[in-house]
Amino acid sequence: MPGSKSNLVSLHEDVINDTSDLSETKSPDENQSVQKRTMTLIGKNGYRDSEYINAAKIFQGIHTKKPKDRTLVRYGDDSLSPVLTFKDEYCQRVSYELAFSALKYQDLLEEILLDSSAYPCHLLVVMLYDLQDRKFQARKIFDEDEPVAEVQQVECYLQSFKTKLAGALARYRIKHDAVSIESILPESLRKQEQRASVLPLFVWINTLKISFQDVFSDLRKNGFTRAESVSDLDHYTYCVDQHCHDVLMFPPSLKEELLNLDLFTDCKLLLQDKSRSLAVHAAQALLNTGDDIIVAHIGSHLTIAHMSVLTNDSTSKIFVCGVNSSAKAAELSNLVSHMGCQNIQFLHEDFTEIEPTDKRIEKAKVILLLPQCSGLGVGNPIDFILSEHRDAGLLRDLLQGSVSVDKLSILAERQLNELRHAMKFKKVQAIVYCTCSIYPEENELVVKKALESGVEGNKVQPYRLIPPVFSPCSNSTASTEFFFKMEPSEISSGCFLAILERRKDPSETISVEDILARAAAKGLLDGMVEEKGKEEKKKKRVTQRRCNITGSGREPKTAEVLHHQTVSNIKAEVTTSKAVSNIQKKNVTQTNGCAQLKKSVKPASGTALPKAVKPPVGKTNLRQRRTECKRIVLKPAQIFFPPPFLDLLGNQSRTP
C-alpha cells in the first residue's frame, strides 16, 4: 500500500508522543472541582491496584463470548462468579467504568495483544485499555494504595512491550481507517454516550431537612442562578422540572462540584434519575390521608426515601418488600434515617411471596411496582447499575444495542407475574407500574395482558387504566392519554409509566366535594381559594346557575381537577359557528329586558333555517323593542361530560 509505511511511522509516533493530559481540555472550574475531591482519579494517571482487580472481575462476567469458530482468545473458566470488594462508592464506580471501557474495545484490545504475541487474560485486557488511554505513559502510584502483586507483574510486562503494543494499535487504526478508537464503536452506542454526556443532572429536595426557599437561597449564595427551562441551562444555573415540583435540573458539567456542596453532603439534595421521581409522585397522588403504600422492590434507597418525604405529612406507612437479611435491613435503615425518614418498614419476603390477606399491609391502598427490566432507556448505565443494584449484563446489552429474545421473554414473564400478583390485593385501589425499558413487550403489552387476565373473585372490582397526574412529555410522540412515556433523549432518560386503578363500585357514589377535598390535599387547587370569594359575589347576580358555564373561570379549572381525579379521558367540546349568529338574527326575539329567548319551532318548508314567527305588533313597537334590547352573542363554551368506563381494548360500558 503506497505510503502505508510512512503513515504507520507517523501514527506510531503520534500514539507514543501524544502526552496530552485530561486537564488541558478542562475549564478552570472543572479543574478546581477535581482538586477538591479526596478520592480522585487525577487526569489519566491510572487507577489503584484494587480497582484494576475489581474491574478485571467485572469484565470477566460481562465480556463478549464469541462462537467457537470465531474464538481467538480463551479466558479460562468463567463459571464461578467473582467476589467483589470495594473500598468505597467511588472505587466501585471507577471499577465499573473501567470494565465497561474494556468491554467496548474488547475486539481492539484482543487484536493488539495477539499481534504482540501476548496471551490475553481479563486483567491484562483491562490494564491495556488504561495504558493506551494514557498514551502509554507510566502510571502514578498512589501513596495510600496497597500494592497487589498480580497487578505489579502485569504492569511491568506491559511497560516492557509498550512500543510493540503501540505499533499494533497504530496498525489496527490504519487497517480500519479509524481517526480515533471511538470511531470503531457501534453507532447506537456512540449516540447513547453522546446523549449521556449532555443529559442534565436531576436532584430532588429533601424537605425533611430543608425548605424550598432555603435551597434556593443556598444555591444563590453558591453562585447559582435560576433559569426558566432546561434549554436555558448554562454552567452555574438550575431550573425546576416541569413534572415534579421538588426536582431541580443542573448542567452535567457541574456533577463533581455539586456533590461537594453541603446541600448534598448533608442529604438535603439527592441526585437521582428523573424516572424514579416520576413514579414516586404518581404513587403519592393516589394516596389519601392514612393510606399505606407497598414498594414491591428494594431498588434504590433513594426511591424509598423520596416516597417517605412526600408522605411525611400524613400517617401513611411505606412497606418495602424483599429485604431478606438483617444486615441489609440495618444498612437501609441507617441510610434512610440519615435522611430523616421515619415511616418505613421492611418486609423480608419477596413481593410475590406476600399473601394479599397479610394483616401487616391491610391498610395499603397503593402498590409501587418498579420491576427489573432491560434498562436500555437509561441515560447513565453505571449510575443505574450501582443505584438499583442491577445486573452488570446491562453493559453488554448496551454495547450490542438490543436485548436477546430469550432474556426479553424472561423479563416480560416475570413482570407480568408481579403485576398480576399486585392485582390480587383486594384492598389495594391503585397500582403504579414503571420501567426504564424501550420495549413494548415490557411496557404496554405487560399491562394489557394483566388487564385481560382480570382479578380473582366475583366481588372484586376489575382494574382499568387511568392517566397520570402529569401531562404527557413534549419530547415523546408515543405518549398517550393512558400511558406516560418518555423516549431517551438529551434532556431525559427513557421512562414508561402506567397507572391501574380499581373500578369503583356502581353502588358507591363520590361527591364533588370529596373529590375537591382530595385535590386540595394534594395541592392541585392552588390559587382557587382567592377565586372562590369573588365567585360567591358573582353568583348572587346570576339568576340561572347553569348559564354561567364560563363566567368566572372556576368551572373549567374544577373540571380539570375532576378530570384528573375521576380519570376521565373524554372531552366533549361544543363550539358555535358563524351560522349560529345568522340563525340568531332570524330566530331569536328578546323580550322583558332580554331575560327570555324565544325560538321558532315551525321551520319553513324548503329551507334549511327556520323562519322567525312574526310578533303581533306593529313596526313602531318592534323598533322600540329593538332599541330597548341588546343582542346576546353566543360564545364558545367547553363542557366536560362524565366519562364512561373504558377498558384497554376500547370496549365501552354504560355509565353507572
Side-chain angles (χ1 to χ4, degrees):
M1 181 168 55
S4 61
K5 185 174 182 179
S6 61
N7 290 339
L8 177 59
V9 173
S10 176
L11 189 55
H12 186 187
E13 293 176 351
D14 176 66
V15 171
I16 293 293
N17 298 328
D18 186 4
T19 59
S20 59
D21 192 85
L22 184 63
S23 61
E24 295 180 6
T25 60
K26 284 181 174 287
S27 66
D29 296 313
E30 289 174 311
N31 283 328
Q32 184 180 1
S33 68
V34 171
Q35 294 172 3
K36 289 170 65 178
R37 300 191 61 159
T38 56
M39 300 177 294
T40 180
L41 175 63
I42 304 177
K44 295 197 175 183
N45 288 322
Y47 298 80
R48 295 178 174 84
D49 287 13
S50 59
E51 293 164 355
Y52 284 122
I53 292 294
N54 284 322
K57 292 178 178 179
I58 297 170
F59 177 71
Q60 175 184 343
I62 65 175
H63 74 272
T64 304
K65 298 177 182 179
K66 302 174 184 177
K68 292 183 179 180
D69 57 341
R70 293 177 50 210
T71 300
L72 301 177
V73 176
R74 299 186 185 277
Y75 288 98
D77 186 16
D78 294 334
S79 58
L80 297 177
S81 299
V83 179
L84 301 174
T85 54
F86 300 104
K87 180 180 178 181
D88 48 51
E89 184 180 347
Y90 178 74
C91 293
Q92 183 184 23
R93 180 177 301 277
V94 297
S95 298
Y96 272 92
E97 289 175 349
L98 180 56
F100 188 30
S101 297
L103 174 66
K104 290 188 289 187
Y105 299 102
Q106 179 179 335
D107 291 344
L108 164 66
L109 299 172
E110 289 178 354
E111 189 164 331
I112 291 175
L113 291 172
L114 292 174
D115 193 357
S116 305
S117 302
Y119 183 78
C121 65
H122 298 111
L123 181 58
L124 190 60
V125 171
V126 167
M127 294 188 67
L128 175 58
Y129 168 79
D130 179 52
L131 179 62
Q132 67 81 31
D133 198 38
R134 290 185 277 116
K135 309 302 179 185
F136 295 90
Q137 299 303 305
R139 174 175 67 117
K140 177 183 177 180
I141 304 299
F142 297 91
D143 295 335
E144 70 276 14
D145 189 23
E146 297 180 4
V148 179
E150 186 179 358
V151 173
Q152 303 290 327
Q153 182 181 1
V154 171
E155 185 171 30
C156 290
Y157 173 80
L158 290 173
Q159 284 295 328
S160 63
F161 286 94
K162 70 177 183 179
T163 302
K164 197 172 184 180
L165 293 168
L169 174 59
R171 286 189 291 273
Y172 184 93
R173 288 174 58 179
I174 291 175
K175 176 182 176 181
H176 294 275
D177 194 21
V179 178
S180 64
I181 64 171
E182 288 80 10
S183 62
I184 68 174
L185 294 176
E187 183 179 1
S188 60
L189 183 60
R190 292 203 304 270
K191 289 182 178 180
Q192 190 275 334
E193 292 188 337
Q194 170 61 25
R195 290 196 303 266
S197 65
V198 297
L199 186 66
L201 303 172
F202 293 91
V203 303
W204 53 271
I205 301 172
N206 183 0
T207 53
L208 297 179
K209 290 201 165 190
I210 193 170
S211 66
F212 283 27
Q213 293 304 320
D214 288 342
V215 168
F216 300 148
S217 177
D218 284 1
L219 289 174
R220 187 165 54 252
K221 292 177 182 178
N222 283 279
F224 289 87
T225 58
R226 182 169 174 175
E228 291 296 327
S229 65
V230 63
S231 60
D232 299 323
L233 292 181
D234 182 22
H235 207 51
Y236 282 94
T237 56
Y238 70 94
C239 68
V240 179
D241 181 67
Q242 62 173 328
H243 297 117
C244 305
H245 67 276
D246 62 344
V247 173
L248 306 180
M249 304 167 67
F250 292 86
S253 60
L254 300 180
K255 182 175 182 179
E256 307 302 338
E257 192 164 352
L258 285 172
L259 293 177
N260 283 284
L261 294 177
D262 291 339
L263 287 170
F264 285 84
T265 57
D266 296 339
C267 295
K268 296 175 182 177
L269 292 182
L270 288 308
L271 180 66
Q272 189 180 24
D273 187 77
K274 176 182 173 178
S275 62
R276 294 323 189 206
S277 296
L278 288 169
V280 168
H281 274 272
Q284 187 270 338
L286 299 166
L287 292 172
N288 292 320
T289 302
D291 290 348
D292 294 342
I293 182 170
I294 300 173
V295 179
H297 298 276
I298 302 176
S300 171
H301 68 279
L302 295 175
T303 304
I304 303 170
H306 198 179
M307 190 76 251
S308 174
V309 170
L310 292 180
T311 57
N312 182 65
D313 293 336
S314 66
T315 58
S316 300
K317 293 181 181 179
I318 302 169
F319 293 93
V320 183
C321 306
V323 187
N324 47 25
S325 69
S326 56
K328 186 65 177 178
E331 177 189 356
L332 288 173
S333 296
N334 182 53
L335 289 171
V336 297
S337 62
H338 185 59
M339 299 178 192
C341 305
Q342 302 294 333
N343 59 340
I344 301 173
Q345 294 189 17
F346 301 110
L347 305 178
H348 69 274
E349 303 99 327
D350 290 336
F351 174 63
T352 53
E353 297 174 352
I354 297 177
E355 293 295 329
T357 56
D358 196 311
K359 294 294 183 181
R360 295 171 297 178
I361 53 176
E362 60 182 359
K363 292 178 62 179
K365 301 299 181 183
V366 177
I367 295 178
L368 177 57
L369 184 56
L370 304 171
Q372 183 178 359
C373 65
S374 59
L376 288 192
V378 299
N380 191 318
I382 302 295
D383 286 344
F384 182 73
I385 291 172
L386 298 183
S387 63
E388 300 283 342
H389 310 289
R390 303 293 170 142
D391 182 14
L394 168 63
L395 301 176
R396 184 171 54 246
D397 296 334
L398 281 173
L399 178 63
Q400 298 171 351
S402 62
V403 177
S404 67
V405 176
D406 292 340
K407 181 177 180 179
L408 188 62
S409 177
I410 293 173
L411 288 171
E413 183 177 359
R414 184 186 305 161
Q415 294 154 0
L416 178 59
N417 289 336
E418 291 177 359
L419 185 53
R420 283 174 173 169
H421 184 70
M423 297 170 68
K424 295 178 182 178
F425 291 74
K426 297 181 179 180
K427 293 187 178 181
V428 169
Q429 298 301 310
I431 304 169
V432 177
Y433 178 85
C434 182
T435 75
C436 297
S437 173
I438 60 175
Y439 292 105
E441 289 86 348
E442 298 181 272
N443 298 334
E444 295 93 337
L445 295 182
V446 167
V447 176
K448 179 179 179 180
K449 290 178 181 178
L451 290 173
E452 288 176 344
S453 63
V455 291
E456 299 177 357
N458 297 329
K459 296 183 179 180
V460 180
Q461 293 296 320
Y463 278 90
R464 62 173 179 177
L465 279 171
I466 66 172
V469 293
F470 23 76
S471 59
C473 188
S474 58
N475 72 323
S476 172
T477 57
S479 293
T480 67
E481 291 193 41
F482 286 119
F483 301 122
F484 182 90
K485 190 172 182 181
M486 295 192 303
E487 300 295 338
S489 69
E490 294 182 349
I491 61 173
S492 67
S493 297
C495 174
F496 172 84
L497 191 145
I499 301 177
L500 290 74
E501 184 186 58
R502 197 181 295 279
R503 292 178 184 267
K504 301 299 180 182
D505 190 338
S507 61
E508 179 184 356
T509 59
I510 302 179
S511 66
V512 175
E513 289 76 10
D514 292 338
I515 295 175
L516 293 178
R518 290 179 59 186
K522 295 175 173 61
L524 300 177
L525 301 184
D526 294 340
M528 287 183 59
V529 178
E530 292 113 356
E531 294 178 10
K532 186 176 180 181
K534 297 179 181 179
E535 193 172 335
E536 294 288 340
K537 297 179 181 179
K538 277 192 176 183
K539 287 183 178 179
K540 293 180 181 179
R541 298 195 301 263
V542 179
T543 57
Q544 294 182 357
R545 185 175 180 179
R546 292 186 178 180
C547 293
N548 191 20
I549 296 177
T550 59
S552 66
R554 180 174 182 266
E555 287 80 354
K557 191 167 185 180
T558 305
E560 182 181 356
V561 173
L562 295 178
H563 167 75
H564 286 301
Q565 295 297 315
T566 60
V567 203
S568 63
N569 73 313
I570 297 179
K571 293 182 179 180
E573 205 171 277
V574 182
T575 58
T576 57
S577 63
K578 293 182 179 180
V580 174
S581 61
N582 296 332
I583 297 174
Q584 177 190 359
K585 293 177 182 179
K586 295 183 179 181
N587 300 317
V588 179
T589 58
Q590 301 164 344
T591 59
N592 299 329
C594 302
Q596 296 179 347
L597 298 177
K598 296 183 179 181
K599 274 192 175 183
S600 170
V601 295
K602 293 183 180 181
S605 60
T607 61
L609 299 178
K611 292 185 177 180
V613 178
K614 276 189 176 184
V617 293
K619 293 183 179 181
T620 304
N621 294 337
L622 181 59
R623 289 174 182 173
Q624 290 176 352
R625 291 179 182 273
R626 286 179 177 175
T627 56
E628 292 173 358
C629 299
K630 295 182 180 179
R631 292 186 181 275
I632 296 178
V633 180
L634 298 181
K635 297 181 179 180
Q638 193 175 34
I639 303 174
F640 295 83
F641 292 101
F645 291 107
L646 296 177
D647 57 26
L648 185 63
L649 300 178
N651 298 324
Q652 181 171 330
S653 59
R654 293 184 179 179
T655 303

